[in-house]
Amino acid sequence: MRQKINRRFTGIALFSVVITTIVMTAVFYSQLKKQVFSDLAVVADLLIAEGSFTQKTDNLRITLIDAGGKVLFDSTADEQSLANHLDRPEIAEAVSSGSGMGIRKSDTLSESVFYYAKKLDNGQILRVGKEAHSVVAVLLSALPMVFTTALLLAVICLMVSHYLTSAIVKPIDEMAGDMEHIDEGKSYPELIPFTRKIRLQHEEILSAANIRQEFTANVSHELKTPLAAISGYAELMESGLVDEKEVKRFSGEIRKSAARLLTLINDIIKLSQLDAGDAKDILDVVNLAELTKESVEMLSYGAAKNGIDVVYEGDDQADVHIGKELAQELIYNLVENAIRYNKPNGQVTVKVQKKGTQIIFSVEDTGIGIPPEHQERIFERFYRVDKSRSKELGGTGLGLAIVKHICNLTDADITLMSKPGVGTKISIVWGRGSFV
Ligand code: ADP
C-alpha cells in the first residue's frame, strides 16, 4: 500500500510539474510576443513623430509602402526589387483598420519576423519589423532558469510525497501493531467498520479458544474419575485382601465405570465430529415421524422397568433434512433425559407434527423439572443441574449440547419449558426460517 500511495503521489506531483513548466513557458512566450508588438508600436509612433522613416537600423526593418502597396523605402532590401506589399496580412489589416500585426517568414530575410504596420495620415503605411531570433534568444535564456525551478520543484514534491505517504500509512501501521485498542478511534473514521469487524473476529477467536481449552480441561477431568475408580478397584482385588463377595461387587463397579468411559468417549467423539462440520454432508431427508416412533418403542421397554410410560403421539410422515444418524442422536438424547429425570410412574409424551411448512418435534415429561436459573445453561457442555444424580443415572452432561449443535446444523429452533416438580417440555421446530 505504501508503495502504491507513494507512486501515485509522485506521479501526480511530477505530472503537475511538467504541466506547469509547459504552461509557464507558453504564457511567457505569449507575453513576450505582446511585448515585442507593443515595442514595435512605440518605435513606429516615434518614427512618425520624428517624420523620418528612411533610416537604417541594425536590428529593425523599416518599410514604407504607399496606399497602392508599392514599396517606397526598405531599410534592409532594395525597394525596387520588392513586389507589391498589399497582400501582406499586416499591411492589409493596417489599410482596413489603421494598424496590423503578423509573424511571418519574410520573403526577403530567411528568418521569421514580427511585423507591426500603421497607416499614416497621408494613406501611406509604415511597417516596422523585428527578427524572431532575438525574441527566441530571450526565451531560450529563460529556459535554464525554468528547468532548474522545475527540477527543484520535482525534488521537493518527491520529498513531500514520501512524507505524506508515511503520514497516511502510520495510523494503519499503529492499528495493526495494537489490536487491543483498535476501536479507540486513533485511526481513520472510514476504517472503523473494518476495525470493529477485526476486533469482533479477534474476540470470537479468543472466545472459541477459551471454550476449547475449557472443554479439554473438563474432558480430562470427566475421564479421570471413572479411570481412577477402575484402577482403585483393580488394585484392591490385585492385593488379594478382598473376599469373594466383594470381588463380585468390585467387578460390577469396574464394568460400570468402563461403560461410563465408553459413553463419555462416544459423546465427545460425536461433539467433535459436529464441531468439525463432518455431519453436514449426510443431511439427507428422513421420515422423522417414523424414526421417532421406532426409537420410542425401543426406549419404552427399559423405561417400563422403572415404571415410566413412554408414548408416541403425532403424524406418520414428516420429512426433515437431518440424516438418520443425527435424527437418532437427537431423539435418544431428549427421550433418555425425559426418562432419566422423571418421577416414579411418570409419563413421557413424544410428538412429531406437521404444521404447514413446519415440522415440530417435542418431548414432554412429568419429571422433576429444571429450576429457572439453570434453564439457560443446561445446553452448555458438561453442565448439569445435579451432577451426582446425572452421573448416577449414566448422564455425561453432553447430551443437550449435542442436541443444540444438531439444531444449529439443521436450521432448527429449540425451546424449553420447564417447571420444577411438574415437568419439562423441549420442542424443536424446522422450517421457521427459509429451511423447509
Ligand atoms: P446429562 O447427560 O447430564 O443428562 P444433558 O446435557 O443431557 O446431560 O442435560 C444436562 C442437564 O440438564 C442434566 O444434567 C439435567 O440436570 C438437566 N435436564 C436435562 N433434561 C432434563 C429433563 N427432561 N428434566 C429435568 N432436567 C433435565
Side-chain angles (χ1 to χ4, degrees):
M1 182 170 95
R2 182 187 288 272
Q3 230 176 22
K4 209 168 175 176
I5 295 177
N6 205 355
R7 259 207 309 266
R8 293 257 160 97
F9 267 143
T10 311
I12 293 171
L14 292 182
F15 180 73
S16 313
V17 169
V18 170
I19 292 292
T20 311
T21 311
I22 292 172
V23 170
M24 286 294 289
T25 313
V27 167
F28 184 58
Y29 175 68
S30 113
Q31 285 299 112
L32 201 64
K33 218 161 71 178
K34 248 194 228 162
Q35 188 60 49
V36 169
F37 281 126
S38 97
D39 286 353
L40 287 175
V42 170
V43 169
D45 285 345
L46 274 174
L47 288 172
I48 294 166
E50 274 178 31
S52 69
F53 312 127
T54 53
Q55 40 183 299
K56 306 245 172 195
T57 44
D58 274 351
N59 45 17
L60 279 179
R61 179 183 184 191
I62 300 167
T63 318
L64 187 68
I65 301 135
D66 77 1
K70 186 175 180 309
V71 179
L72 303 173
F73 168 78
D74 192 280
S75 64
T76 50
D78 175 15
E79 41 277 0
Q80 303 300 316
S81 65
L82 292 172
N84 192 298
H85 263 44
L86 217 54
D87 61 338
R88 306 291 198 271
E90 71 278 3
I91 308 283
E93 204 185 332
V95 168
S96 65
S97 64
S99 70
M101 287 177 275
I103 306 171
R104 268 180 310 105
K105 212 165 177 120
S106 156
D107 289 342
T108 321
L109 311 162
S110 56
E111 281 274 354
S112 277
V113 181
F114 287 72
Y115 286 118
Y116 175 80
K118 190 161 179 161
K119 192 156 87 174
L120 308 179
D121 292 342
N122 61 8
Q124 292 178 340
I125 313 281
L126 170 67
R127 186 180 74 175
V128 197
K130 189 182 171 88
E131 282 179 16
H133 70 83
S134 52
V135 176
V136 172
V138 174
L139 196 68
L140 284 178
S141 74
L143 279 187
M145 187 65 188
V146 170
F147 282 123
T148 315
T149 313
L151 204 72
L152 208 72
L153 259 175
V155 171
I156 292 173
C157 284
L158 285 182
M159 277 157 61
V160 170
S161 23
H162 192 77
Y163 168 77
L164 277 181
T165 307
S166 295
I168 288 173
V169 175
K170 198 175 160 212
I172 301 172
D173 275 347
E174 278 173 1
M175 192 177 86
D178 184 14
M179 284 293 210
E180 299 302 313
H181 305 99
I182 211 166
D183 225 4
E184 285 174 11
K186 274 192 293 184
S187 172
Y188 301 105
E190 290 83 356
L191 284 182
I192 286 177
F194 295 102
T195 57
R196 291 236 167 94
K197 182 129 198 153
I198 292 171
R199 195 192 168 99
L200 215 73
Q201 280 177 350
H202 205 62
E203 281 167 4
E204 274 170 12
I205 291 167
L206 274 180
S207 127
N210 275 344
I211 290 174
R212 243 197 318 270
Q213 202 177 13
E214 200 181 324
F215 181 61
T216 314
N218 278 332
V219 165
S220 322
H221 181 76
E222 295 286 336
L223 292 177
K224 243 189 204 161
T225 324
L227 275 175
I230 291 171
S231 151
Y233 287 125
E235 204 177 314
L236 278 174
M237 293 198 293
E238 197 181 22
S239 70
L241 297 172
V242 187
D243 62 36
E244 195 78 5
K245 223 171 77 198
E246 290 289 87
V247 167
K248 203 165 176 211
R249 188 171 76 81
F250 286 1
S251 308
E253 292 294 340
I254 288 175
R255 191 189 47 75
K256 257 203 262 171
S257 290
R260 182 166 172 66
L261 271 179
L262 264 181
T263 34
L264 250 173
I265 287 167
N266 273 333
D267 277 1
I268 292 164
I269 289 173
K270 241 161 262 156
L271 259 182
S272 30
Q273 279 171 345
L274 286 169
D275 277 343
D278 293 352
K280 230 182 158 108
D281 306 333
I282 44 156
L283 298 185
D284 35 85
V285 177
V286 294
N287 180 358
L288 191 70
E290 180 73 32
L291 204 65
T292 308
K293 228 193 287 182
E294 283 169 19
S295 309
V296 164
E297 216 177 287
M298 301 267 281
L299 288 162
S300 63
Y301 292 119
K305 281 187 216 152
N306 299 316
I308 291 161
D309 191 20
V310 187
V311 292
Y312 176 79
E313 288 175 8
D315 300 339
D316 294 324
Q317 179 78 37
D319 289 342
V320 178
H321 276 275
I322 185 171
K324 192 171 173 191
E325 204 181 315
L326 294 189
Q328 261 170 347
E329 195 63 46
L330 187 112
I331 301 163
Y332 271 75
N333 274 315
L334 291 179
V335 178
E336 275 178 343
N337 275 355
I339 298 168
R340 195 180 286 153
Y341 304 106
N342 221 313
K343 291 190 248 182
N345 303 317
Q347 175 88 27
V348 176
T349 311
V350 188
K351 285 184 199 168
V352 177
Q353 292 160 299
K354 231 176 135 167
K355 278 195 183 152
T357 55
Q358 296 185 349
I359 308 248
I360 305 162
F361 170 87
S362 67
V363 180
E364 190 172 0
D365 65 58
T366 55
I368 58 170
I370 303 160
E373 66 271 24
H374 293 285
Q375 290 182 8
E376 277 263 298
R377 302 201 58 191
I378 54 165
F379 294 96
E380 289 172 20
R381 296 171 181 196
F382 292 118
Y383 191 86
R384 297 127 161 155
V385 176
D386 181 343
K387 206 162 187 160
S388 53
R389 179 172 181 149
S390 158
K391 276 191 180 169
E392 182 64 36
L393 298 168
T396 59
L398 293 174
L400 288 182
I402 293 175
V403 168
K404 180 133 191 223
H405 220 322
I406 295 172
C407 288
N408 286 342
L409 211 65
T410 58
D411 287 322
D413 287 341
I414 183 162
T415 47
L416 165 86
M417 280 193 302
S418 185
K419 210 167 173 189
V422 179
T424 302
K425 181 176 181 179
I426 292 182
S427 308
I428 294 169
V429 185
W430 286 272
R432 194 162 269 165
S434 58
F435 190 88
V436 181

